[in-house]
């Protein structure tokens, strides 16, 4: 009996406890609204295919928010990267994009990855060296990248990628979607980088207190630049998954996902002022949002109603958090009163 | 020479110079640019943006941020016209009633923003992104995306009536539209309010140093409500001007333009961290964007390039801001060091 209590206490003390509860509640709620088809295997795999997209963008956003910044250019960079891959394949395979070979694909991906990192470097350098708010920097790069993609695509959708590339979006390994495997590997790697390396510790320190970090001999400029390069790499990964799933690129795919990425990182417990935020929370939040997204889609809700819901969720979550904090505070007060009573009686 | 350089360090003078040089360049290529007809058209086309920019300016000076003003404008535009066309208000309808309506709707939505931001103490961008989606989504669901083609007659004069009228070769009249007059009148009122009244100065104080402002006795809650309410009101008035110019109510015609308005304000020298910015700067910022847009058309450059130019201008202007600020910081440090050295010598 006592042991049981201990396990329960451990679960309750888990930092993501409320998120797990939300996950279960949302899953059951959407199931209730949609009927048994929501729990079907087909629906589950469909969600597994789509979730990595939200997850990758959300973690990219989380990383930028760790030092109190934000990365608005995350989706436009993913789109731009997709366009770059297409154009590079066009050059390498002399017009036959669909028939490009492995080596050509690899080369195109490598070059576009370097371009992504360069954009990340630009974001980071402007933010840290010139101390420009990240909001403005990434707003500028967002507009710039959107414009460049528009010029390159002339507003058209470019489609027909080689199978080797679409495999990342739609392929399966042992029945598990490749995009999910890719996502899991990336999450694990990022977890190691953030929680087990010196760079990760420096990143959290810079976010929590940049002045203290500088006095502790942390090169904050370097840390922030690396941070934004890392964030841009997530755009690259999201872009690869996106190419695979859509088998096409366009200047403005997934534009609403900027909001969803902010929402996921916010739900996952990241502090917008920097210094706090865990990968695990963000991943669970991404899963929650994917469940809501799929559930609402299955209900054939007006897409603008869904837009309104995304907005309402942030405000509702804020109210919920305020409420739980109040309860916690009042409970702590009661405990304190009881303790002081005990002392007085003694 | 030094005096000239000092004047140029002011953002407004620099912007003015850039506008003049750019206009000269375009006029040499396309003489049509400098004609009264073209310039009055440019002024009319950027008046709505200019009015929105005034609202954004207030928020940015106060150290806040607002991306929901476009959604507020959209809602007050649609709801206002709907009330005028389909309810009893229409019977007593005139331009003044329409004005009061949009001001009321915009003000209420703006106050809601202010309340949420003050209550949760969350970054304004997160709250306003969510309220933007909330307002816009709900409005779109309610109106099903239907356009309103017939608007009340009494709104027409706002854009049709012109001062300094002239006749073009094909018989059409042109001149400074009433919308532009409205923009200028609002700009003057706002400039006086920001410079001469206690409320206006408080907006600068809470932006420059919120902690000090609170210690001095400024009620932060009231100021937050005031600032976001005022932005809502100005967005409502901007919506009225937008109706007059477009003469149709299109439910998705304003949302999506928020970043270009914010970019114009920032270009005008407003600091995103708060405490800095001027009405004249915002006007010049809006004008520069409008002139660039107009000359791209006159020079027959593809409109795909517009985003690239916008993005490049944003990045250039923020880099300029940052360099200026870092120079000021250095000067302050130099003065401080000189003072201490003097103290030591004495």
């Amino acid at each position: 009996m006592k042991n049981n209590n201990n396990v329960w206490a451990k679960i309750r003390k888990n930092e993501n406890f409320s998120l797990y509860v939300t996950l279960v509640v949302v899953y059951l709620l959407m199931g209730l609204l949609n009927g048994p088809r929501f729990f079907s295997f087909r629906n589950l795999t469909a969600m597994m295919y789509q979730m990595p997209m939200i997850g990758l963008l959300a973690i990219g956003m989380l990383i930028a928010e760790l030092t109190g910044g934000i990365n608005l250019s995350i989706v436009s960079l993913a789109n731009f990267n997709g366009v770059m891959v297409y154009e590079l394949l066009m050059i390498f395979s002399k017009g036959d994009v669909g028939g490009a070979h492995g080596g050509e694909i690899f080369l195109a991906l490598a070059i576009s990855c370097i371009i992504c990192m360069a954009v990340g470097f630009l974001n980071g350098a402007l933010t840290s060296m010139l101390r420009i708010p990240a909001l403005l920097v990434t707003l500028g790069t967002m507009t710039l990248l959107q414009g460049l993609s528009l010029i390159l695509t002339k507003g058209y959708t470019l489609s027909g990628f080689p199978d080797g590339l679409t495999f990342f979006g739609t392929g399966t390994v042992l029945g598990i979607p490749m995009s999910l495997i890719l996502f899991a590997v990336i999450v694990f790697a990022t977890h190691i980088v953030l929680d087990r390396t010196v760079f990760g510790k420096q990143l959290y320190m810079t976010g929590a207190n940049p002045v203290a970090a500088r006095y502790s001999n942390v090169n904050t400029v370097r840390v922030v630049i690396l941070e934004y390069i890392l964030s841009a790499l997530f755009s690259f990964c999201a872009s690869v998954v996106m190419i695979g799933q859509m088998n096409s690129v366009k200047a403005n795919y997934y534009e609403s996902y900027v909001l969803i990425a902010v929402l996921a990182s916010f739900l996952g417990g990241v502090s917008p002022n920097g210094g706090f935020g865990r990968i695990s929370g963000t991943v669970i939040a991404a899963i929650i949002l994917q469940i809501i997204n799929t559930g609402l889609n299955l209900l054939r809700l007006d897409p603008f109603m869904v837009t309104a819901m995304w907005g309402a969720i942030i405000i509702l979550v804020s109210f919920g958090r305020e409420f739980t904090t109040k309860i916690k505070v009042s409970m702590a007060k009661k405990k304190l009163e009881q303790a002081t009573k005990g002392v007085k009686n003694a | 020479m030094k005096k000239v350089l000092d004047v140029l360090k002011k953002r407004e003078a620099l912007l003015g110079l850039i506008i003049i040089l750019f206009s000269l360049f375009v006029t040499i290529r396309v003489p049509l640019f400098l004609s009264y007809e073209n310039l009055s058209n440019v002024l009319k086309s950027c008046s709505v943006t200019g009015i929105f920019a005034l609202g954004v300016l207030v928020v940015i000076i106060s150290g806040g941020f607002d991306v929901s003003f476009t959604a507020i404008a959209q809602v007050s535009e649609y709801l206002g016209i709907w009330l005028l066309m389909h309810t009893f208000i229409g019977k007593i309808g005139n331009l003044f009633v329409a004005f009061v309506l949009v001001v009321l709707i915009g003000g209420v939505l703006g106050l809601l923003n202010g309340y949420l931001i003050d209550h949760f103490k969350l970054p304004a961008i997160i709250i306003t992104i969510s309220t933007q989606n909330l307002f816009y989504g709900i409005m779109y669901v309610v109106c099903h995306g239907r356009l309103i083609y017939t608007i009340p007659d009494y709104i027409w004069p706002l854009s049709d009536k012109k001062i300094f009228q002239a006749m073009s070769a094909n018989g059409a009249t042109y001149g400074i539209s009433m919308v532009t007059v409205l923009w200028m009148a609002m700009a003057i009122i706002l400039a006086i309010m920001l410079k001469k009244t206690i409320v206006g100065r408080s907006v600068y104080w809470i932006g420059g140093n919120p902690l000090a402002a609170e210690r001095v006795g400024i009620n932060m809650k009231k100021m937050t409500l005031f600032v976001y309410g005022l932005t809502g009101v100005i967005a409502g008035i901007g919506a009225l001007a937008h109706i007059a110019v477009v003469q149709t109510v299109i439910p998705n015609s304003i949302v999506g333009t928020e970043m270009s308005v914010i970019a114009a304000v920032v270009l005008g020298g407003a600091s995103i961290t708060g405490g800095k910015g001027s009405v004249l700067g915002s006007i010049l910022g809006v004008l520069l964007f409008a002139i660039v847009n107009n000359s791209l058309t006159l020079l027959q450059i593809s409109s795909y390039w517009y985003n690239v130019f916008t993005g490049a201008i944003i990045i250039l202007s923020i880099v300029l801001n940052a360099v200026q600020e870092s120079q000021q910081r250095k000067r302050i440090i130099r003065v401080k060091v000189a003072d201490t050295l003097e103290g030591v010598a004495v």
Side-chain angles (χ1 to χ4, degrees):
Chain A
M1 193 63 204
K2 206 187 165 200
N3 200 16
N4 259 349
N5 268 341
N6 271 344
V7 172
W8 178 236
K10 250 187 193 171
I11 293 173
R12 281 205 47 185
K13 270 193 183 152
N14 188 309
E15 55 193 355
N16 295 324
F17 175 68
S18 55
L19 275 174
Y20 286 120
V21 174
T22 321
L23 178 68
V24 173
V25 169
V26 165
Y27 189 64
L28 291 178
L29 186 74
M30 284 298 160
L32 204 68
L33 288 172
N34 278 299
R37 70 182 161 163
F38 191 76
F39 299 110
S40 70
F41 186 67
R42 226 178 105 201
N43 189 39
L44 212 66
T45 33
M47 285 201 285
M48 277 168 121
Y49 273 112
Q50 290 163 7
M51 200 278 289
M53 197 63 206
I54 293 184
L56 287 170
L57 293 175
I59 296 176
M61 191 64 85
L62 165 87
I63 288 170
E65 283 178 350
L66 283 181
T67 55
I70 194 167
N71 189 355
L72 295 176
S73 68
I74 196 156
V75 173
S76 53
L77 180 57
N79 279 320
F80 178 68
N81 181 67
V83 176
M84 283 310 294
V85 171
Y86 189 91
E87 297 292 333
L88 287 168
L89 282 175
M90 196 76 149
I91 297 168
F92 294 148
S93 60
K94 295 181 185 68
D96 178 28
V97 176
H101 300 297
E104 292 164 356
I105 295 174
F106 181 76
L107 201 59
L109 284 181
I111 293 176
S112 67
C113 183
I114 290 170
I115 295 173
C116 266
M117 286 164 76
V119 175
F121 177 81
L122 181 72
N123 278 340
L126 289 178
T127 313
S128 59
M129 287 159 87
L130 290 175
R131 296 196 208 165
I132 306 170
L135 183 70
L136 277 181
V137 175
T138 54
L139 173 67
T141 45
M142 177 180 90
T143 321
L144 195 69
L145 291 170
Q146 270 173 356
L148 286 174
S149 318
L150 258 180
I151 289 171
L152 287 171
T153 59
K154 298 263 183 306
Y156 290 113
T157 308
L158 309 176
S159 56
F161 278 94
D163 294 341
L165 253 181
T166 50
F167 176 72
F168 287 111
T170 49
T172 53
V173 175
L174 304 172
I176 305 168
M178 186 58 206
S179 53
L180 194 67
I181 297 175
L182 194 69
F183 180 63
V185 171
I186 291 169
V187 165
F188 185 69
T190 319
H191 166 71
I192 300 273
V193 169
L194 288 187
D195 289 355
R196 295 276 183 276
T197 63
V198 177
F199 166 70
K201 286 277 170 278
Q202 289 181 340
L203 186 58
Y204 278 102
M205 270 173 75
T206 310
N209 192 339
V211 178
R214 224 172 296 133
Y215 283 132
S216 328
N217 203 14
V218 173
N219 186 346
T220 49
V221 172
R222 186 177 141 267
V223 168
V224 173
I225 290 177
L226 281 177
E227 176 197 13
Y228 277 87
I229 291 178
L230 196 61
S231 180
L233 280 177
F234 275 89
S235 285
F236 172 76
C237 298
S239 167
V240 171
V241 172
M242 192 162 77
I243 290 172
Q245 289 184 346
M246 316 290 273
N247 194 14
S248 62
V249 287
K250 203 181 166 196
N252 55 357
Y253 273 148
Y254 287 106
E255 265 185 337
S256 61
Y257 272 48
V258 178
L259 167 72
I260 298 183
V262 173
L263 187 52
S265 55
F266 176 68
L267 267 182
V270 65
S271 155
N273 300 322
F276 300 95
R278 308 221 80 85
I279 294 274
S280 54
T282 312
V283 172
I284 304 168
I287 297 174
I288 293 175
L289 290 182
Q290 183 59 54
I291 290 172
I292 295 176
N293 201 4
T294 311
L296 294 181
N297 272 339
L298 279 179
L299 284 174
R300 292 179 193 284
L301 226 58
D302 190 326
F304 285 94
M305 192 68 216
V306 182
T307 309
M309 293 275 293
W310 294 136
I313 288 174
I314 291 190
I315 296 170
L316 285 179
V317 167
S318 306
F319 269 118
R321 277 193 190 155
E322 194 190 22
F323 185 64
T324 45
T325 336
K326 261 186 194 163
I327 288 180
K328 267 183 199 163
V329 169
S330 70
M331 266 164 69
K333 264 187 191 165
K334 250 183 209 164
K335 258 189 191 167
L336 197 70
E337 266 171 26
Q338 274 172 359
T340 44
K341 251 185 205 166
V343 172
K344 268 181 196 166
N345 287 345
Chain B
M1 192 63 204
K2 197 170 175 291
K3 262 190 178 171
V4 175
L5 276 177
D6 273 352
V7 170
L8 274 186
K9 271 183 189 155
K10 277 202 140 183
R11 175 53 67 87
E12 289 84 0
L14 187 67
L15 265 181
L17 190 73
I18 292 172
I19 290 177
I20 292 170
L21 288 179
F22 190 80
S23 308
L24 267 179
F25 168 74
V26 181
T27 317
I28 292 168
R29 301 288 301 274
V30 189
L32 187 72
F33 175 80
L34 213 58
S35 67
Y36 180 45
E37 186 175 6
N38 184 48
L39 287 185
S40 61
N41 267 334
V42 170
L43 273 179
K44 185 182 173 183
S45 69
C46 69
S47 293
V48 177
T49 316
I51 293 174
F52 287 146
L54 295 177
V56 173
L57 176 75
V58 177
V59 171
I60 286 185
I61 290 176
S62 80
F65 202 72
D66 192 352
V67 291
S68 73
F69 67 93
T70 48
I72 292 179
Q74 201 83 70
V75 172
S76 38
E77 178 177 300
Y78 205 94
L79 189 60
I81 289 298
W82 186 84
L83 286 174
L84 283 174
M85 300 298 282
H86 295 285
T87 60
F88 68 95
I89 303 170
K91 281 176 194 144
I92 50 160
N94 56 34
L95 192 56
F96 181 71
V97 172
F99 190 81
V100 171
L101 263 183
V102 289
V103 162
L104 276 180
I105 299 167
V108 167
L109 295 180
L111 283 178
L112 184 65
N113 264 340
Y115 170 75
L116 290 173
I117 289 164
D118 176 72
H119 187 77
F120 293 129
K121 306 271 182 286
L122 279 173
I125 183 161
I126 288 184
I127 293 289
T128 53
I129 284 183
S130 51
T131 50
Q132 181 199 25
N133 282 274
L134 191 65
F135 298 156
Y136 181 54
I138 289 177
M139 186 206 77
Y140 216 93
V141 169
V142 171
C143 76
H144 289 296
R146 275 191 295 264
L147 278 68
I148 300 179
Y149 292 103
T150 48
I151 61 163
D153 303 340
Y154 43 78
I155 294 180
W156 289 10
L158 200 53
S159 76
D160 289 347
K161 213 170 184 176
K162 294 162 187 112
I163 53 174
F164 307 123
Q165 220 161 24
M167 189 87 84
S168 71
N170 53 13
T173 56
Y174 57 86
I176 308 287
S177 164
M178 283 314 280
V179 181
T180 313
V181 176
L182 178 68
W183 173 27
M184 287 304 145
M186 285 174 65
I188 292 168
I189 294 171
L190 190 70
I192 292 173
M193 196 207 85
L194 284 177
K195 290 276 177 226
K196 302 285 179 202
T197 65
I198 294 179
V199 183
R201 297 318 296 172
S202 312
V203 173
Y204 279 94
W205 294 333
I206 63 170
N209 192 338
L211 204 64
E214 209 170 356
R215 297 258 164 90
V216 166
I218 291 173
N219 187 334
M220 290 301 269
K221 184 171 185 164
K222 272 187 191 160
M223 280 310 291
T224 312
L225 285 175
F226 171 75
V227 164
Y228 286 91
L230 184 62
T231 306
V233 166
I234 297 177
I237 300 174
L240 189 65
H242 188 257
I243 304 170
V245 171
V246 182
Q247 308 224 331
T248 314
V249 177
I250 308 167
N252 58 358
S253 55
I254 305 179
V255 169
T257 61
E258 57 271 356
M259 288 312 177
S260 59
V261 179
I262 292 165
V265 173
V266 171
L267 183 63
S271 161
I272 204 94
T273 42
K276 252 177 76 180
S278 74
V279 173
L280 183 63
S282 88
I283 294 175
L284 291 174
V286 170
L287 276 182
L288 182 58
F289 272 111
I291 288 174
V292 167
N293 198 6
N294 179 255
S295 16
L296 286 183
T297 317
L298 287 180
L299 294 170
Q300 300 182 333
I301 296 171
S302 160
S303 63
Y304 298 128
W305 281 94
Y306 179 65
N307 265 0
V308 177
F309 274 95
T310 316
I313 293 178
I314 298 176
I315 293 180
L316 270 180
S317 71
I318 53 181
V319 167
L320 207 70
N321 255 1
V323 170
Q324 250 176 8
E325 265 167 30
S326 78
Q327 272 177 354
Q328 277 169 2
R329 222 173 297 144
K330 269 180 202 159
R331 203 179 308 142
I332 291 170
I333 291 172
R334 220 178 292 141
V335 170
K336 269 187 189 162
V337 169
D339 282 355
T340 21
L341 284 183
E342 236 168 55
V344 171
V346 169

